[in-house]
């Protein structure tokens, strides 16, 4: 594996199996990364992605260094041919090749502006690092996708569902107090569709349709009640509008999942990538209930990251 930016870089089933193996045997490859170093660059905040990737690197015998670019570094410029007389101090063309000399692998987290759809969906920040740093790049969440989260999510489904049939997995939109990116939902849809091992349904209020290039293959319903019927897993996530880009249309509090709504499911497990706003996106009764997978899911971030890093390290 050269880079890890989307499902197109991945052998989905192979990575799921590798992540499950690392969960059982965390230190089985603890010399694979000896003498290697990963730089984890954050233009935006993180808890799980940052720490789970550091733990994964440590389990592989690899050094990790975190750089909070957004808070501690020079403000980076990503536009080509711009006259840099504004707030940005250093061009990515100059910074990325320097970072490529310090590190063997570079991880990058960026968020979208939610102002300019075309620019956000070009994933220009990640692509600039791929172009200029000269080393493998791992997405720690980009403007459009969150592949480490999606691999974790599929691993969590796989280890939880023991029946010999495809699970019904419902991705449901949830309310939120602010406009959030579409990347977790895009990525989840992209990975589930590529995996092909689930009956996949997406439900959201009208106006929250996702980019069809990620959702094609799933059933899309605007009735949450209908979507939840016989679900084995319910993945809860808010996202802002893709069509009316970055906007939210007001009060949709009725979309918050409750135990009453869950009665229509097949005793479904509930997933969320975290962080979650309690009693806005998801109710206490669901998060604290026996069917919540959110803590297990977040714990699995280590094994997903370890599976990805090991695939990049093997040919080095
Ligand atoms: N789910 C997730 O990416 O969490 P963090 O933002 O804390 O990394």
């Amino acid at each position: 594996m050269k880079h890890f930016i989307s499902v197109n870089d991945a052998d989905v089933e192979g990575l799921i199996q590798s992540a499950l193996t690392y969960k059982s045997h965390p230190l089985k490859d603890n010399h694979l990364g000896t003498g290697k170093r990963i730089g984890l660059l954050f233009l935006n905040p993180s808890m799980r992605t940052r720490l789970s990737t550091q733990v994964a690197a440590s389990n592989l015998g690899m050094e990790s260094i975190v750089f909070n670019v957004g808070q501690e570094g020079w403000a980076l410029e990503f536009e080509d041919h711009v006259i840099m007389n504004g707030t940005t101090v250093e061009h990515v063309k100059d910074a990325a090749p320097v970072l490529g000399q310090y590190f063997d692998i570079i991880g990058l987290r960026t968020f979208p502006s939610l102002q300019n759809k075309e620019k956000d969906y070009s994933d220009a920040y990640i692509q600039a690092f791929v172009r200029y740093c000269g080393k493998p790049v791992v997405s720690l969440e980009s403007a459009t996708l969150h592949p480490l989260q999606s691999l974790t999510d599929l691993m969590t489904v796989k280890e939880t569902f023991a029946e010999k049939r495809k699970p019904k997995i419902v991705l449901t939109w949830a309310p939120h107090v602010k406009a959030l990116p579409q990347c977790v939902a895009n990525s989840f849809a992209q990975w589930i569709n590529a995996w092909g091992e689930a009956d996949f349904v997406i439900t959201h209020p009208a106006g929250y349709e996702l980019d069809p290039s990620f959702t094609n293959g799933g059933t899309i319903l605007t009735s949450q009640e209908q979507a939840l019927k016989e679900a084995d897993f319910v993945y809860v996530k808010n996202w802002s509008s893709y069509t009316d880009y970055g906007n939210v249309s007001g009060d949709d509090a009725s979309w918050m999942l409750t135990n009453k709504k869950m009665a229509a499911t097949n005793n479904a497990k509930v997933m969320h990538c975290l962080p979650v706003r309690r009693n806005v996106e998801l109710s206490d009764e669901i998060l604290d209930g026996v069917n919540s997978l959110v803590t297990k899911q977040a714990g699995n971030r280590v094994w997903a990251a370890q599976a990805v890093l090991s695939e990049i390290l093997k040919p080095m």
Side-chain angles (χ1 to χ4, degrees):
M1 186 188 290
K2 177 67 176 161
H3 303 288
F4 184 72
I5 308 294
S6 78
V7 78
N8 300 323
D9 301 309
D11 162 9
V12 177
E13 192 61 41
L15 283 175
I16 293 171
Q17 291 302 337
S18 172
L20 290 167
T21 303
Y22 280 126
K23 187 167 185 173
S24 306
H25 306 285
L27 300 180
K28 81 177 184 74
D29 290 326
N30 65 346
H31 294 301
L32 189 62
T34 302
K36 298 284 191 288
R37 192 177 296 123
I38 183 168
L40 300 171
L41 314 180
F42 288 86
L43 278 77
N44 300 93
S46 167
M47 182 178 89
R48 279 145 290 270
T49 308
R50 169 179 169 160
L51 297 174
S52 63
T53 309
Q54 286 189 278
V55 174
S58 171
N59 285 346
L60 294 167
M62 188 183 197
E63 185 183 4
S64 60
I65 294 178
V66 171
F67 182 31
N68 293 309
V69 185
Q71 292 162 11
E72 298 158 358
W74 302 115
L76 286 181
E77 178 61 58
F78 286 86
E79 292 286 339
D80 277 337
H81 311 302
V82 71
I83 297 169
M84 288 175 54
N85 58 1
T87 54
T88 55
V89 178
E90 181 163 27
H91 202 282
V92 68
K93 272 186 192 176
D94 303 311
V98 174
L99 295 165
Q101 292 179 74
Y102 300 159
F103 300 113
D104 302 285
I105 303 174
I106 289 183
L108 182 69
R109 164 164 285 197
T110 68
F111 285 170
S113 65
L114 295 180
Q115 306 289 320
N116 182 331
K117 177 156 81 173
E118 195 180 332
K119 191 172 165 190
D120 286 345
Y121 272 69
S122 72
D123 254 339
Y125 289 13
I126 287 268
Q127 292 306 330
F129 271 85
V130 167
R131 188 167 170 197
Y132 296 121
C133 82
K135 292 290 165 65
V137 174
V138 174
S139 170
L140 304 174
E141 185 173 344
S142 75
T144 56
L145 295 169
H146 197 351
L148 283 173
Q149 181 66 56
S150 306
L151 172 58
T152 307
D153 299 337
L154 297 199
M155 173 203 176
T156 307
V157 167
K158 182 98 178 181
E159 74 171 341
T160 306
F161 193 73
E163 294 184 41
K164 293 202 180 315
R165 63 174 173 88
K166 287 186 177 184
K168 177 177 175 181
I169 303 177
V170 177
L171 169 63
T172 181
W173 185 92
H176 205 281
V177 293
K178 57 183 276 205
L180 295 190
Q182 296 99 32
C183 57
V184 170
N186 285 342
S187 194
F188 187 69
Q190 187 189 46
W191 279 70
I192 291 260
N193 285 330
W195 190 38
E197 296 297 324
D199 171 13
F200 183 42
V201 176
I202 303 169
T203 184
H204 55 70
Y208 287 95
E209 294 76 13
L210 294 162
D211 180 346
S213 67
F214 302 119
T215 58
N216 276 342
T219 303
I220 299 168
L221 300 172
T222 51
S223 164
Q224 190 186 44
E225 187 181 354
Q226 193 185 342
L228 290 175
K229 282 180 189 161
E230 299 300 319
D232 298 296
F233 293 87
V234 182
Y235 197 105
V236 180
K237 187 71 186 86
N238 170 268
W239 60 88
S240 59
S241 177
Y242 172 72
T243 44
D244 183 15
Y245 191 61
N247 285 320
V248 290
S249 56
D251 182 16
D252 291 292
S254 65
W255 276 72
M256 188 177 77
L257 208 58
T258 58
N259 278 341
K260 191 172 169 198
K261 290 184 186 182
M262 290 296 288
T265 72
N266 185 22
N267 194 28
K269 304 291 186 196
V270 178
M271 303 176 71
H272 187 286
C273 64
L274 301 181
V276 64
R277 296 223 182 201
R278 279 179 175 253
N279 303 311
V280 176
E281 280 182 280
L282 255 176
S283 56
D284 280 339
E285 64 181 8
I286 298 273
L287 282 164
D288 298 332
V290 293
N291 282 13
S292 171
L293 291 181
V294 299
T295 306
K296 177 178 179 178
Q297 189 183 350
N300 283 342
R301 293 293 306 270
V302 170
W303 319 116
Q306 202 166 328
V308 168
L309 294 183
S310 71
E311 287 305 310
I312 295 174
L313 285 168
K314 276 175 198 164
M316 280 186 176

